[in-house]
Amino acid sequence: MSAVLYRAPGPVTLIGGGPVPPERLAEAARLAPEIYAADGGGDVVPPPGHRLRAVIGDMDSLRDPAALAAAGVALRRIAEQDSTDLEKCLYSIAAPLYLGVGFLGGRLDHELAALNAVAKNPDRRLILIGREDLCLLVPAAGLAFEAAAGDRVSLFPMGPCRGTRSTGLRWPVTGLDFAPGERVGTSNAATGGPVAIGFDGGPMLAILPAAYLGRLARG
């Protein structure tokens, strides 16, 4: 693992090389205006009024690094192959929150690797944002947010865990055991109002509507 290259006082946006819905990138940039790219994500043009600070990764996907360098974008090549480009961004940038766009959708192996990065980095507050969904880790202290009745609250275990807290869900999860290859918690739904969930063990991923980004990023 390399040393920290950048320290951000506020949230940062990370752009990946997968599908990047413009409206999701624009929303992420409003919430986290300091923007970095993971390798091929550097080919994506930032929203108007924003600039790309640096591209981080092994640089095997970036189409025109010379043009980016000429535009003043820093190119930070990290050659090690024990981590993905998303993980390279996470350990190279110290920030209180990371909003990742361009990591969900597209190639399934890349998407699974991104979800694995969420699960294996509990010390990094990371929200991945797709066209319809966002995904984040349920912290050890639990996750709480406001939800409209009927809105989807899906839970997917990345390791064995047990529900310890469950309010505001149509199907409560308190006392239930979850594990990959066994019980999962997809397609649950909110009853309307405050939702609070917690687990022992894990990691547990929460998959929520992309429209919830603002309330989760500010929470």
Side-chain angles (χ1 to χ4, degrees), residues 96-149:
L97 172 65
Y98 307 82
L99 303 182
V101 187
F103 299 97
L104 299 180
R107 280 180 51 174
L108 180 58
D109 57 341
H110 286 177
E111 184 170 10
L112 289 171
L115 297 177
N116 187 63
V118 176
K120 71 184 285 190
N121 290 280
D123 58 331
R124 299 291 195 266
R125 189 173 167 226
L126 170 62
I127 303 175
L128 299 182
I129 309 149
R131 189 175 302 279
E132 296 185 9
D133 306 297
L134 58 79
C135 178
L136 71 162
L137 186 70
V138 177
L143 181 65
F145 54 93
E146 292 283 329

Side-chain angles (χ1 to χ4, degrees), residues 157 160-163 173-179 182-184 199-200 204:
C161 56
R162 171 171 289 187
V173 299
T174 303
L176 297 182
D177 292 320
F178 297 84
E182 298 181 20
R183 176 188 281 128
V184 299
F199 297 88
D200 277 340
M204 175 66 88

Side-chain angles (χ1 to χ4, degrees), residues 20-218:
V20 178
E23 70 279 11
R24 300 303 178 207
L25 179 56
E27 184 179 9
R30 285 194 297 270
L31 295 166
E34 190 166 329
I35 302 177
Y36 299 83
D39 200 348
D43 295 324
V44 177
V45 177
H50 298 271
R51 64 178 296 273
L52 184 61
R53 181 169 184 185
V55 180
I56 298 170
D58 60 10
M59 303 301 174
D60 66 347
S61 303
L62 196 60
R63 287 199 300 264
D64 196 350
L68 287 171
V73 178
L75 303 179
R76 298 287 193 165
R77 183 175 183 271
I78 301 175
E80 58 88 358
Q81 294 297 302
D82 293 326
S83 65
T84 65
D85 292 320
L86 172 56
E87 291 174 286
K88 290 176 173 66
C89 288
L90 294 178
Y91 70 62
S92 298
I93 306 164
L97 172 65
Y98 307 82
L99 303 182
V101 187
F103 299 97
L104 299 180
R107 280 180 51 174
L108 180 58
D109 57 341
H110 286 177
E111 184 170 10
L112 289 171
L115 297 177
N116 187 63
V118 176
K120 71 184 285 190
N121 290 280
D123 58 331
R124 299 291 195 266
R125 189 173 167 226
L126 170 62
I127 303 175
L128 299 182
I129 309 149
R131 189 175 302 279
E132 296 185 9
D133 306 297
L134 58 79
C135 178
L136 71 162
L137 186 70
V138 177
L143 181 65
F145 54 93
E146 292 283 329
D151 277 3
R152 177 168 45 90
V153 181
S154 283
L155 301 165
F156 196 92
M158 300 292 279
C161 56
R162 171 171 289 187
T164 58
R165 182 165 44 138
S166 172
T167 59
L169 293 181
R170 182 177 297 167
W171 294 284
V173 299
T174 303
L176 297 182
D177 292 320
F178 297 84
E182 298 181 20
R183 176 188 281 128
V184 299
T186 54
S187 297
N188 208 327
T191 56
V195 173
I197 49 178
F199 297 88
D200 277 340
M204 175 66 88
L205 300 181
I207 303 166
L208 304 168
Y212 280 35
L213 177 60
R215 70 192 74 177
L216 291 168
R218 298 185 184 99

